[in-house]
Amino acid sequence: MKITDARVIVTSPGRNYVTVKIETTDGVHGVGDGTLNGRELAVASYLEDHLLPLIVGRDPDDIEDIWQMLYKGAYWRRGPVTMAAIAAIDVALWDIKGKVLGTPLWNLLGGRSRTGVLVYSHASGRRLGEAVDKVLELQAQGYKAIRVQCVVPGIEEMYGTPHADGEAEDATLPFVERGWDTASYLRFVPELFRSVRTATGPELQLLHDAHHRLTPIEAAGLGRCLEDIGLFWLEDPVPAEPQAGYRIIRQHTTTPIAVGEVFNTVYDCEQLVREQLIDFLRMSIVHAGGVTHMRKVAAFAEIYQVRLGCHGAADLSPVTMAAAAHFGIATHNVAIQEYAPHPAQANEVFPHEWSVKDGYLTPGDAPGLGVDIDEHLAQQFPYARAYLPISRRTDGTMGSW
Ligand code: GCO
Ligand code: MG
């Protein structure tokens, strides 16, 4: 079998997605996601101009060898653009392998470790009461784990909460600036979670994303204040470029810590995992080199009792969610999967077998990934330039988004 054609499809059914479609001499095709929110065309160019010409004519069975060629052959290693592009090809090749062998991806990865992957959904509000109501609504729908974000009084617009001009996690044009004040945030979050916990009772798993806004000692203090809430995790308390910064958080609190949605290779988490400075790793198949690399990341993390809770915001396409469903069913140390529903048009452009029911994600039994792209429909949603917001602190200095 040989690869006869490989192309990139950029489409915007509600938000931008970059997809690779690979065709073979056997008449079987595979799809992979390479979306990098706000920087989509960089990945599309890396694929179109540099990687795809290298794979046409090769045997799609040789997934490991193709991965190594794309990773090592560039000389320039790692980074989000490179690793998202490699991931798109890698996932499409796994899809092809499953289809050719007539078996779902989870079976190629060792079979089922569980019957369904626990997911967490997002509840947010512009006011505390609104956030609590949203949590109760999702709990009534059967979600067993919910991430809670709320606008902090005094900070009008912030990450993870609804805005007058759209959802906070949407990239937009024009480019937007939001505000940030750490002191108000740190005063408000414990109050928010006390109200939520009182309303939900003890069983619901609660999560929170600090989105890289704190310093290690601030994060340690917040983690300590939240200990009696029993959070499932506190996510991205501080940026992890200095991995050793997490030692400070770890020394002071037993609140479980999650990080890694912006990581691209195992080297980004090596110290965090080896020193057991975190509890959950958030790396995703699309941003970390595909199934081939994430299997190695999971195996490494398992040795240190670090579990996976992969990134799954709506800017990761339904193709990535399919891959995550198979990976999550098969991989023993996957603890949870983030799930934010995609725009309705995106579900039409990417028809899929995976589904979320009663708080659990299942991949279905179709061969390969069980997801496809409707190219004709995709053409009706042309790419629309968009940027993630930036955040400025009250004194005007630039913060982390
Ligand atoms: C999350 C993430 C997202 C990111 C977004 C960036 O936990 O889901 O923080 O909301 O901000 O995916 O593109
Ligand atoms: Mg996050």
Side-chain angles (χ1 to χ4, degrees), residues 3-250:
I3 295 173
T4 51
D5 184 46
R7 58 186 181 280
V8 180
I9 302 148
V10 182
T11 179
S12 192
R15 62 191 316 152
N16 292 319
Y17 296 111
V18 175
T19 310
V20 161
K21 181 167 178 177
I22 298 179
E23 299 195 84
T24 66
T25 44
D26 280 24
V28 170
H29 72 266
V31 291
D33 176 27
T35 308
L36 191 60
N37 200 9
R39 295 293 185 271
E40 298 86 359
L41 297 187
V43 183
S45 160
Y46 194 78
L47 281 160
E48 232 153 34
D49 298 326
H50 304 292
L51 299 193
L52 298 183
L54 287 175
I55 65 166
V56 174
R58 288 179 193 271
D59 187 337
D61 274 347
D62 300 338
I63 300 179
E64 180 70 27
D65 186 63
I66 291 176
W67 194 97
Q68 297 292 345
M69 174 192 69
L70 299 178
Y71 183 78
K72 294 182 172 152
Y75 186 62
W76 313 108
R77 296 186 186 194
R78 308 166 62 184
V81 173
T82 308
M83 299 309 288
I86 294 176
I89 293 174
D90 182 76
V91 169
L93 296 179
W94 280 103
D95 190 21
I96 290 168
K97 193 180 284 299
K99 285 177 175 169
V100 168
L101 296 174
T103 196
L105 174 60
W106 57 257
N107 200 22
L108 300 177
L109 300 178
R112 280 174 289 221
S113 282
R114 54 180 61 79
T115 50
V117 185
L118 178 69
V119 297
Y120 73 91
S121 196
H122 297 178
S124 64
R126 292 195 58 79
R127 298 286 169 265
L128 193 152
E130 198 182 311
V132 174
D133 289 348
K134 185 71 187 164
V135 173
L136 294 176
E137 207 178 287
L138 290 172
Q139 191 179 22
Q141 285 170 26
Y143 286 101
K144 318 267 181 291
I146 300 173
R147 187 193 79 173
V148 191
Q149 310 290 134
C150 184
V151 168
V152 174
I155 313 176
E156 264 315 294
E157 304 283 348
M158 58 173 286
Y159 165 76
T161 58
H163 301 294
D165 54 357
E167 279 299 315
E169 286 154 355
D170 286 349
T172 58
L173 192 70
F175 185 65
V176 216
E177 291 197 8
R178 311 273 189 216
W180 179 253
D181 181 58
T182 302
S184 314
Y185 170 80
L186 290 175
R187 275 195 305 274
F188 179 69
V189 173
E191 183 189 334
L192 168 68
F193 276 91
R194 271 194 295 275
S195 304
V196 172
R197 184 50 93 203
T198 306
T200 63
E203 276 172 33
L204 187 72
Q205 300 288 7
L206 297 173
L207 301 83
H208 181 67
D209 190 349
H211 227 244
H212 309 116
R213 304 281 167 99
L214 304 175
T215 64
I217 203 68
E218 288 164 351
L222 178 62
R224 191 179 273 189
C225 285
L226 293 171
E227 277 169 18
D228 60 330
I229 305 295
L231 281 193
F232 186 87
W233 76 37
L234 172 62
E235 175 186 343
D236 288 351
V238 302
E241 281 99 333
Q243 296 180 33
Y246 276 72
R247 287 183 187 148
I248 298 171
I249 305 173
R250 208 50 158 179

